Amino acid sequence: MKLIFESIREYLPYVFVWAVFLVIGYLLVKRTGFSKTPLKTAEKLLDKSLSMLKELDTIEEELVKTVTLARLRKSLYRAKDALSIYIFDNRLNKTAANAMETLTAVTELFEKYSMDLIVKSNDVKKDVQNLITETELALAQVKEAES
Amino acid sequence: MDEFGERILTFFETSGVRFAMVVLIAVLGYKAISKFMLLIKYRLIVSKLDNSLVNFVLTGVKVIVYTGFILYLANLLDISTSGLMGAISAVTLAIGLSIQNVLSSVANGIMLVTTRPFKVNDFVDIGGITGTVQEVTMMHTIINTADNQHVFIPNSTVYSSRIMNYSANDIRRLVLEFGVDYSCDFDQVMGIIRSAIEAHPAVLKNPAYTLHYAADKDSSVTFTAKVWVRNEDYWNTKWDFEENVFRTLAAEGVEIPFPQITVSYRQDGTGARPLPAAKEDKK
C-alpha cells in the first residue's frame, strides 16, 4: 500500500502540471470564441450582432452608441474568423463561401464608413442588417445541408 | 494461490500504479496539446495565411509535438528513449532513402508555400503549362488549365521550372502589332489605331499607351501599340482591338498584306520533271 501511495506521490506533480496546461488551453480557446463547432459560434455572434444593431436605435447617448457599434464590429469580425475556420475544414462547401461573401460585405461597410456615419445613417444600418440577415440565411442553409 | 495473489499485488504496487498514472498524464497531455493545437490553427487561419501553408505548418507542428510527447511518456515509464530515438532515426533514414523523390517534392512544396511565387487562384505559366492555381498540396501543385483540365505537377518540377505569374500585378501591358501595305498613308493608319485605343473603355490612362512605327518587313510596315489594361480585361481587349482595327482599316481602304502562293498547273505536262528510269536487273 505504501508503494502505491509513493508512486502516486511521484507522478502527482506531472498530473498537476498537465491539468494546469489543460485548463489554460481550455480558457484560451474559450476566449477566442472558437469551439469545435465554428458554425455555431458564427451563428451566435451574428445573432448577437443583430440584437446589438437593434439596440442602437433605443440608445440615446452618442458615446454609448459608438461603444455598442464598436462591439458589434468586433463580433462581426469574430464571426468572420469562425466562418473562416469552418471553410478551412469544409473547403468545398459553396454555401459557406456565399455566407463568407456577404459577411465580408458587412465588414467592408465598417471599413468604408466611419463609426459616426454608421450611427447616424439609417441607410447604412439597414444595409448592415440586410447583409447580416442574408449571412444568417446562408448559414442556415449550410446547417441544413450538414444535417 | 497466496503467492500468486502477492505477485499480482506487487506488480500492481510497482508497475500497475505507475502505468495508470502515466495513462492519466497521457490523457491530460493529449487533451491539453489538442487545445493548444486548436489555438495555433485558429491563429494561422485568422492571420489570413494561404490554406496550403496553414496545412503544412499544422502537420509539421503536430508531428514534432506528438513525437516529443510520446518520448516524454516513454521517459516517465523509465523506457530508455535513446534506443527509441535510434529506432526513429533508423526508420526515418530508411523511409527517406526509399521515398527520396517524394520527399524532394514535399521539401519543394514547403519552399513553394514559404517563398510564395504564386498563390491559389493566380494565373500562372509553369514550365509551359498555363492555368489557374487550384491548390498547392504536400506533393503537387494543381493547375486548372483554360480548357478545364486538372494538371498535377510535382512540386519538385514546379520549383525547378520557370514560373510566370500573370496575377502578381493588377495590370498588364498588351502589345498589339498591325501590319499594313507600304503604299498606305501612315498618318491615317496611326490615326485609326490611336482612335481605337482612346475609345476603348478597358485601356488605362495611366500608364499611358504608346504607338510607334516598329519595323519594315518583307511585305508590310508594322505599327506597334503598347496599352495597359487590368489583368481581367487582357484577352477581351486584345480580341476587341484585333477585330475593330482590322475592320476599320478594311473600311478605310487600307490594304493589309498577307503571304500569297502562286500555283501553276500545266495541262500538257510540259515542264514536269521526268520520272527516274527503272534500273535494269543484272543478269
Side-chain angles (χ1 to χ4, degrees):
Chain A
M1 213 52 185
K2 197 184 166 192
L3 269 174
I4 292 174
F5 283 119
E6 258 177 31
S7 292
I8 291 173
R9 208 172 63 186
E10 188 189 338
Y11 283 103
L12 219 50
Y14 299 107
V15 175
F16 180 73
V17 166
W18 282 108
V20 170
F21 276 154
L22 180 60
V23 173
I24 292 170
Y26 175 78
L27 289 175
L28 285 175
V29 170
K30 202 182 168 190
R31 194 166 159 259
T32 57
F34 170 58
S35 61
K36 274 184 183 172
T37 53
L39 205 59
K40 225 174 186 175
T41 311
E43 218 175 30
K44 268 184 190 172
L45 287 163
L46 285 176
D47 271 347
K48 201 174 147 189
S49 309
L50 265 187
S51 60
M52 275 195 274
L53 197 68
K54 280 172 192 158
E55 214 181 288
L56 274 177
D57 296 330
T58 58
I59 300 168
E60 280 176 10
E61 262 186 82
E62 285 297 311
L63 185 70
V64 183
K65 264 190 180 181
T66 316
V67 171
T68 312
L69 202 63
R71 281 175 50 218
L72 163 67
R73 184 176 179 271
K74 197 181 168 188
S75 84
L76 283 174
Y77 271 94
R78 282 176 61 195
K80 208 174 151 188
D81 289 345
L83 200 54
S84 313
I85 288 153
Y86 180 80
I87 288 172
F88 180 81
D89 291 331
N90 306 271
R91 260 172 253 174
L92 294 175
N93 196 317
K94 280 192 178 165
T95 327
N98 290 343
M100 181 55 109
E101 247 175 57
T102 50
L103 193 50
T104 309
V106 191
T107 50
E108 273 169 4
L109 285 178
F110 280 83
E111 303 288 337
K112 196 173 167 188
Y113 303 114
S114 68
M115 290 286 202
D116 272 356
L117 188 89
I118 301 172
V119 168
K120 281 169 195 160
S121 164
N122 280 329
D123 284 345
V124 180
K125 268 192 279 184
K126 205 160 199 176
D127 279 350
V128 172
Q129 189 178 346
N130 287 342
L131 285 170
I132 295 176
T133 318
E134 223 174 290
T135 316
E136 280 195 320
L137 282 172
L139 286 187
Q141 279 178 2
V142 179
K143 274 182 83 178
E144 206 179 282
E146 263 196 346
S147 61
Chain B
M1 190 67 190
D2 276 354
E3 198 182 327
F4 181 70
E6 214 163 279
R7 268 188 183 175
I8 287 177
L9 191 67
T10 315
F11 172 78
F12 184 71
E13 279 178 341
T14 53
S15 304
V17 175
R18 290 182 68 186
F19 188 73
M21 291 306 277
V22 171
V23 167
L24 180 64
I25 292 166
V27 172
L28 285 173
Y30 176 75
K31 286 196 176 245
I33 290 170
S34 301
K35 292 284 173 202
F36 282 99
M37 291 304 296
L38 268 180
L39 271 179
I40 293 170
K41 183 179 170 184
Y42 173 81
R43 285 283 155 225
L44 288 174
I45 295 171
V46 169
S47 65
K48 306 283 173 260
L49 278 179
D50 201 60
N51 277 356
S52 34
L53 183 60
V54 174
N55 264 334
F56 264 127
V57 174
L58 276 178
T59 316
V61 171
K62 258 184 196 172
V63 169
I64 293 167
V65 169
Y66 285 116
T67 311
F69 188 62
I70 289 167
L71 289 176
Y72 165 79
L73 292 176
N75 203 28
L76 281 183
L77 279 171
D78 286 339
I79 297 170
S80 168
T81 48
S82 56
L84 210 60
M85 286 291 280
I88 289 172
S89 307
V91 169
T92 312
L93 185 71
I95 293 172
L97 285 172
S98 57
I99 52 167
Q100 216 170 5
N101 291 336
V102 176
L103 285 180
S104 149
S105 267
V106 173
N108 285 309
I110 292 168
M111 292 304 289
L112 279 177
V113 289
T114 46
T115 54
R116 303 183 79 183
F118 51 76
K119 54 185 188 302
V120 172
N121 288 333
D122 276 359
F123 190 76
V124 294
D125 178 328
I126 300 170
I129 299 168
T130 312
T132 309
V133 178
Q134 288 284 297
E135 202 179 350
V136 182
T137 64
M138 294 272 275
M139 300 281 300
H140 298 96
T141 295
I142 305 165
I143 303 261
N144 208 26
T145 60
D147 52 350
N148 207 22
Q149 287 179 341
H150 247 43
V151 184
F152 288 69
I153 313 173
N155 285 336
S156 50
T157 310
V158 175
Y159 200 65
S160 58
S161 300
R162 183 202 63 171
I163 300 169
M164 280 170 76
N165 186 348
Y166 296 106
S167 307
N169 296 315
D170 290 337
I171 58 171
R172 270 181 82 180
R173 194 178 70 172
L174 174 61
V175 179
L176 300 149
E177 289 192 342
F178 304 100
V180 293
D181 195 79
Y182 272 94
S183 62
C184 294
D185 178 355
F186 290 0
D187 291 334
Q188 184 198 9
V189 174
M190 283 183 100
I192 289 168
I193 300 170
R194 188 170 287 124
S195 41
I197 293 171
E198 283 167 6
H200 203 287
V203 175
L204 299 173
K205 297 273 179 283
N206 191 25
Y209 73 89
T210 57
L211 173 63
H212 50 88
Y213 174 87
D216 295 334
K217 291 195 176 168
D218 288 347
S219 54
S220 68
V221 179
T222 308
F223 293 91
T224 303
K226 291 172 182 169
V227 299
W228 291 86
V229 291
R230 302 197 71 75
N231 269 337
E232 58 270 26
D233 297 329
Y234 185 86
W235 290 106
N236 285 338
T237 314
K238 184 178 164 61
W239 296 326
D240 272 0
F241 270 124
E242 276 167 1
E243 187 186 334
N244 292 343
V245 174
F246 175 77
R247 277 178 192 276
T248 320
L249 289 174
E252 295 286 329
V254 176
E255 203 172 312
I256 300 163
F258 53 89
Q260 293 177 45
I261 300 170
T262 306
V263 181
S264 303
Y265 176 68
R266 292 178 185 175
Q267 266 188 324
D268 58 356
T270 53
R273 208 163 43 169
L275 286 168
K279 284 179 184 173
E280 281 181 24
D281 290 338
K282 283 180 185 173
K283 286 179 182 175

